[in-house]
Amino acid sequence: MNDKRIMDIELLRGIAVLGVVFHHLQGNLFPGGLAWLGSIAAYGQFWWGVDLFFAISGFVIARSLIPQLRACTSAAQFWQRTRDFWIRRAFRLLPSAWLWLLLMLLASLFLNRSGAFGSLHANLWATVAGLLQFANLRFADSFFHYEYGASFVYWSLSLEEQFYLLLPLLVLLCRKYLAWVLLALVVVQLVSLRSVLLMFIRTDAMALGVLLALWTARASYRHWEPKWLGWHPGLGLLLLILLGLGLGWLATDKFNITHYRVGALAVLCALLVWIASYDRDYLLPRGPLKSLLAWVGSRSYGIYLIHVPVFLLVREAWFRLAPLGTTGLNEQPLLALACALGLLLLLSELNYRVIELPLRNRGVELVRRLGTSRSPVPSTGVTSC
């Protein structure tokens, strides 16, 4: 087991974040909505990208963290490695998250002549929820009741942090029964009637990702490798398209009254992660398209944080700069998209190079220094989570 990045997983990250960005065009970049976006939404929605992120996250975190924790020979060693995991994760995620929370709060105060960023009161409470990692609970409480604020996408980040705060404790308490406990967690959510609260504390996709990571240590994982997808380069792409269409169809409003669709989305997303986990180019042959999507995947965290504030900033800029008598953004969708996507790519690349990568390395270095200050412990060959 190692921490080498899997290109097929990066591919899925790219697909996931593009789906979320597309889903948020309606109502954020185009507040009045566009007819063609509404037509697409009637047949397929793309918010399932969040569940794909959850499944990827569970797999990537667990494949490095759980072998480390299970290799521990004492309680002190276990908590040292848990602390190291939390430190690396904090340095990787929190600086960017806090930066964009602050920028959205400032925008609601100083760059909000159009009202695009919402009220200062809502954004202030949204910032507190994002900082203290209870954004998912506040989002559930606000749903159809009151304004959340511009940083509503932080609900998924808070849910992940809650899950990974508890995962080491599950490993410690459940030991050899961990897989059964996670499986029970998935089954309960699959058959439960999803209230608004349960929609924002859903952990089934993450649990399935962890189960997949546990499975990779068994011989049956290699036995069940879908080698048939390698028989023809178009088979994997066809499967990817069909699964994407199926996920989009399940995510449409016509399934709101059903209680199984979110669990079904989690299972299908985990299926994609399973295929990608072999890193054999089963889903898409190597080439320019895959390289581009993998690049998007490597910047997906920044894109996820930045896309909504960029959409709102473009609306504000249009409100301030467009000549009197000109049409709104809804009447200039191609120009609006070009401006928003160009700014999004620029800011996400800057965020990756200036914030994400340096501070991720800083966290790894801090863990290394902490390691040299204590007695050596057996290594699992994994350096980061």
Side-chain angles (χ1 to χ4, degrees), residues 184-265:
L185 182 64
V186 171
V187 171
V188 167
Q189 292 180 86
L190 182 62
V191 301
S192 296
L193 182 64
R194 301 273 181 161
S195 64
V196 172
L197 178 60
L198 288 179
M199 280 293 292
F200 295 107
I201 58 171
R202 63 183 190 262
T203 57
D204 39 2
M206 280 183 281
L208 285 168
V210 175
L211 286 168
L212 175 59
L214 294 174
W215 187 30
T216 59
R218 296 181 173 272
S220 57
Y221 170 73
R222 287 295 170 191
H223 176 75
W224 286 100
E225 180 178 346
K227 296 180 180 179
W228 57 274
L229 287 172
W231 294 349
H232 189 280
L235 280 177
L237 178 58
L238 177 62
L239 179 63
L240 179 61
I241 293 171
L242 290 176
L243 284 175
L245 291 174
L247 285 161
W249 185 57
L250 279 173
T252 55
D253 292 340
K254 65 174 63 73
F255 287 98
N256 271 343
I257 59 172
T258 63
H259 66 273
Y260 59 80
R261 71 161 178 171
V262 176
L265 291 173

Side-chain angles (χ1 to χ4, degrees), residues 22-310:
F22 184 84
H23 178 69
H24 287 150
L25 288 174
Q26 195 87 309
N28 291 287
L29 183 59
F30 304 110
L34 294 177
W36 64 272
L37 285 175
S39 298
I40 292 174
Y43 296 98
Q45 295 196 26
F46 297 90
W47 54 264
W48 55 263
V50 173
D51 293 275
L52 184 53
F53 271 131
F54 287 159
I56 291 169
S57 172
F59 171 72
V60 171
I61 294 297
R63 71 190 283 263
S64 61
L65 176 64
I66 292 180
Q68 290 186 71
L69 297 182
R70 285 182 163 175
C72 294
T73 57
S74 67
Q77 189 181 90
F78 179 92
W79 291 115
Q80 286 168 357
R81 291 201 171 160
T82 298
R83 179 200 63 187
D84 292 348
F85 163 68
W86 286 336
I87 289 173
R88 286 192 297 267
R89 187 162 177 84
F91 271 81
R92 180 186 180 277
L93 300 180
L94 294 184
S96 294
W98 288 351
L99 170 66
W100 289 99
L101 272 176
L102 176 61
L103 290 176
M104 280 186 279
L105 181 61
L106 292 175
S108 70
L109 185 59
F110 298 111
L111 279 174
N112 203 21
R113 193 181 300 169
S114 67
F117 285 91
S119 70
L120 177 61
H121 178 269
N123 280 286
L124 181 60
W125 277 105
T127 301
V128 172
L131 288 173
L132 299 182
Q133 304 296 343
F134 66 90
N136 58 324
L137 302 178
R138 183 173 184 272
F139 197 29
D141 185 57
S142 71
F143 219 63
F144 299 124
H145 293 102
Y146 56 86
E147 177 190 358
Y148 180 87
S151 58
F152 59 88
V153 300
Y154 279 66
W155 76 266
S156 64
L157 306 180
S158 293
L159 177 58
E160 283 200 33
E161 293 315 297
Q162 293 159 12
F163 184 82
Y164 295 122
L165 186 67
L166 296 175
L167 182 59
L169 304 180
L170 278 177
V171 174
L172 178 65
L173 295 174
C174 300
R175 300 181 184 274
K176 64 180 182 179
Y177 299 107
L178 176 63
W180 291 106
V181 171
L182 291 170
L183 186 60
L185 182 64
V186 171
V187 171
V188 167
Q189 292 180 86
L190 182 62
V191 301
S192 296
L193 182 64
R194 301 273 181 161
S195 64
V196 172
L197 178 60
L198 288 179
M199 280 293 292
F200 295 107
I201 58 171
R202 63 183 190 262
T203 57
D204 39 2
M206 280 183 281
L208 285 168
V210 175
L211 286 168
L212 175 59
L214 294 174
W215 187 30
T216 59
R218 296 181 173 272
S220 57
Y221 170 73
R222 287 295 170 191
H223 176 75
W224 286 100
E225 180 178 346
K227 296 180 180 179
W228 57 274
L229 287 172
W231 294 349
H232 189 280
L235 280 177
L237 178 58
L238 177 62
L239 179 63
L240 179 61
I241 293 171
L242 290 176
L243 284 175
L245 291 174
L247 285 161
W249 185 57
L250 279 173
T252 55
D253 292 340
K254 65 174 63 73
F255 287 98
N256 271 343
I257 59 172
T258 63
H259 66 273
Y260 59 80
R261 71 161 178 171
V262 176
L265 291 173
V267 171
L268 291 176
C269 288
L271 178 62
L272 283 171
V273 176
W274 167 62
I275 296 170
S277 69
Y278 294 95
D279 202 20
R280 298 290 182 88
D281 302 317
Y282 287 141
L283 291 173
L284 187 65
R286 290 184 183 264
L289 177 59
K290 184 168 188 173
S291 297
L292 176 61
L293 288 172
W295 178 87
V296 172
S298 68
R299 273 67 174 171
S300 59
Y301 181 58
I303 293 172
Y304 186 76
L305 292 176
I306 299 167
H307 73 282
V308 171
V310 162

Side-chain angles (χ1 to χ4, degrees), residues 331-351:
E331 303 301 322
Q332 299 285 339
L334 294 181
L335 179 58
L337 280 171
C339 292
L341 293 180
L343 188 57
L344 177 57
L345 291 175
L346 173 63
L347 292 177
S348 60
E349 181 67 15
L350 286 173
N351 188 82

